[in-house]
Amino acid sequence: MRTNKILYLSILSVIAMVSQLTVTVNAQVSVPVPGKPRTVSVPAVKEIKLKNGLTVAVVQRSAMPLVTVQLLVKNGSGAEPKEKAGLANLTASMLTKGTKTRSATQIAEEMEFLGSSIFSFAGWQNSSAGMSITSDKFDAAMAIFADVVRNPIFAQEELDLEKAQAIDGLTANLSTPGFLANYVASTYSYGEHPTGGTLASLGSITKADISGFYSKNYRPEDSVLIFVGDISPDKAAAAAEMHFGTWQGNGTRAGAPQVPTVGTSTPGQKALIKRFLVVDLPNSGQASVNFVKPIGGTGRRDKQYYPASLLNSLLGGGYSSRLNQEIRIKRGLSYGAGSSFAWRPTQTNFGARAQTKDESAAEVAELILAEIKRLGESVASDVEISPRKSVLTGGFGRNLETNQGIAGALADLYAFGIPTSELNAYMNNVNSVLSADVRSFASANLVDGDIIIVGDYAKFKDDLAKRFPNVKVEVVKASDFQTSNAQ
């Protein structure tokens, strides 16, 4: 009897717990209303011009004893010849691999002793080097940083190592569906070249190529030195003058970065799909499904940047975006789906993507196209748009809470020649976008695009033919891109 009583009481306890859980779940069915948008005020940007043409930008934030320094060079992969793709990346990575007075090991050890390190990278539009350091070690770190930027020697043994690592990394990545899809899209759809290079181009880069790119592009008149943190404008200006005041460019100045010519689309005149490409990667394990489209006439400085940003948040910007809702949450066909814009001065490259099992590649392609089509045919409700605006403004605000975030945001503006006042205008510009603006942008621009699927073609070939019976599908082998002579 005692055992039965204990069992009875246990059952009652479980029932009570389930009832409480049910009440809790029901209470959370309603989606919380977004809070009132917060404003973000960025401290004034003090701008100074050195005699050699170097622009110095300073944002003083003394709450923490930290300083972030970033040198922006207004040329990147867009300034390299196609046959030398990857040159900008290699040049940036070689900055920390030895100077006239310090070896790569010494640079790393000295910065580690100061509690920091120097990063360097190149994108399509620009190249950068930077560091974050505590205020009390700023002077010592600044001397090393300036040495790295101004006096690289591009030692042959270090270059050989960097090239070998880049080639090994690229070789491995070319067997990955998502990477290979982006690699193919860069030339097939966007009319550019892979910023990380090709196997052939990386192998051809010489020390003379690196030195030439550095001389043409790393110049004070084409650069911005950014200081953010516990540093006054006067101290920043003095440090800039001390370490960079005598910096002079060598050789012939580079021209503007290459900008592919891309036409614009007109509503009602274009089909959603222009071309359909399958890159056959046998035994891929998964397939990468992509809709890609270069959009001409709409660059980073264009007022359409804000409707495009809101569109991206709505379509593929996060867990609750439309693509992720349809592909992952409702159907479980992917761990995640998203979209993005890669901005250039006079155009932008759009991409929407998801990774799925090979067998469902055709279905996912249909779902991506359906969501893109819906963007241009209907106006999103305020209930859906308002949270997406909050995602953008909230992310922007959080980013500006750090020195690195402010430095990166400033570098982006300077790279495109946008006034720094744009930082304080961002939230208002986002909140001013109407749902109709998003639809208008989509209907005008997200047409005439390419579908690129990388995966095991044999596993989705029949389903692709059923779902897209009237579409011509071009099929190429992944192995065509996986040899040293592939471009």
Side-chain angles (χ1 to χ4, degrees), residues 23-300:
V23 171
T24 302
V25 170
N26 289 337
Q28 294 179 354
V29 168
S30 300
V31 178
V33 178
K36 185 178 179 180
R38 295 176 59 186
T39 59
V40 172
S41 180
V42 181
V45 180
K46 174 69 174 180
E47 194 171 290
I48 303 143
K49 201 86 166 181
L50 300 190
K51 291 181 180 179
N52 60 2
L54 178 67
T55 299
V56 180
V58 189
V59 175
Q60 184 174 3
R61 303 172 78 238
S62 300
M64 295 288 289
L66 296 170
V67 181
T68 291
V69 182
Q70 183 169 344
L71 179 74
L72 169 77
V73 176
K74 297 180 183 179
N75 277 310
S77 299
E80 66 194 12
K82 177 182 178 181
E83 63 274 14
K84 297 292 182 179
L87 178 57
N89 259 333
L90 275 178
T91 303
S93 67
M94 286 293 293
L95 294 179
T96 60
K97 303 307 177 183
T99 71
K100 297 173 182 177
T101 58
R102 292 178 172 92
S103 67
T105 301
Q106 287 174 317
I107 292 168
E109 288 178 346
E110 289 182 32
M111 289 301 296
E112 184 179 12
F113 179 77
L114 296 173
S116 183
S117 61
I118 297 174
F119 69 80
S120 56
F121 66 89
W124 184 265
Q125 188 66 24
N126 55 267
S127 304
S128 280
M131 66 174 183
S132 290
I133 192 73
T134 56
S135 308
D136 60 323
K137 297 181 176 65
F138 170 79
D139 292 334
M142 193 66 190
I144 303 170
F145 178 75
D147 188 32
V148 163
V149 171
R150 294 187 56 183
N151 302 309
I153 58 172
F154 308 121
Q156 186 64 54
E157 61 272 19
E158 293 288 351
L159 176 57
D160 291 342
L161 180 59
E162 286 293 312
K163 285 175 58 176
Q165 291 175 339
I167 290 171
D168 287 347
L170 178 58
T171 300
N173 286 332
L174 287 174
S175 297
T176 304
F179 179 91
L180 184 53
N182 291 330
Y183 181 90
V184 171
S186 63
T187 53
Y188 181 80
S189 301
Y190 299 140
E192 299 178 347
H193 58 260
T195 57
T198 67
L199 295 176
S201 68
L202 289 172
S204 74
I205 293 173
T206 65
K207 179 178 177 178
D209 294 326
I210 298 284
S211 297
F213 186 87
Y214 176 85
S215 296
K216 289 181 179 179
N217 295 284
Y218 284 69
R219 307 172 66 92
E221 63 270 33
D222 294 326
S223 302
V224 182
L225 185 60
I226 301 169
F227 296 89
V228 181
D230 186 24
I231 187 168
S232 68
D234 288 343
K235 182 173 180 178
E241 184 64 45
M242 174 185 294
H243 296 291
F244 290 90
T246 59
W247 184 27
Q248 298 295 328
N250 300 314
T252 304
R253 185 178 183 183
Q258 303 172 33
V259 180
T261 302
V262 178
T264 56
S265 299
T266 304
Q269 294 186 351
K270 300 289 184 179
L272 196 59
I273 304 175
K274 177 182 178 182
R275 296 176 297 182
F276 205 123
L277 176 69
V278 170
V279 181
D280 186 17
L281 183 63
N283 302 313
S284 59
Q286 288 190 325
S288 177
V289 184
N290 306 261
F291 174 91
V292 293
K293 170 68 194 297
I295 300 172
T298 302
R300 176 62 180 84

Side-chain angles (χ1 to χ4, degrees), residues 339-390:
S339 61
S340 62
F341 285 94
W343 293 93
R344 310 290 187 250
T346 58
Q347 76 168 67
T348 184
N349 296 335
F350 172 77
R353 66 197 66 83
Q355 195 148 303
T356 186
K357 60 183 183 292
D358 287 302
E359 292 79 2
S360 56
E363 180 183 359
V364 168
E366 267 191 339
L367 292 170
I368 290 176
L369 289 170
E371 289 306 314
I372 290 174
K373 184 178 180 182
R374 182 157 74 104
L375 282 172
E377 291 182 345
S378 61
V379 175
S381 68
D382 289 340
V383 172
E384 187 179 18
I385 283 290
S386 180
R388 305 321 303 175
K389 290 182 178 180
S390 295

Side-chain angles (χ1 to χ4, degrees), residues 296-320:
T298 302
R300 176 62 180 84
R301 293 187 293 264
D302 193 275
K303 62 182 180 180
Q304 290 298 302
Y305 171 78
Y306 292 98
S309 297
L310 185 55
L311 177 152
N312 186 65
S313 179
L314 177 66
L315 178 67
Y319 188 81
S320 58

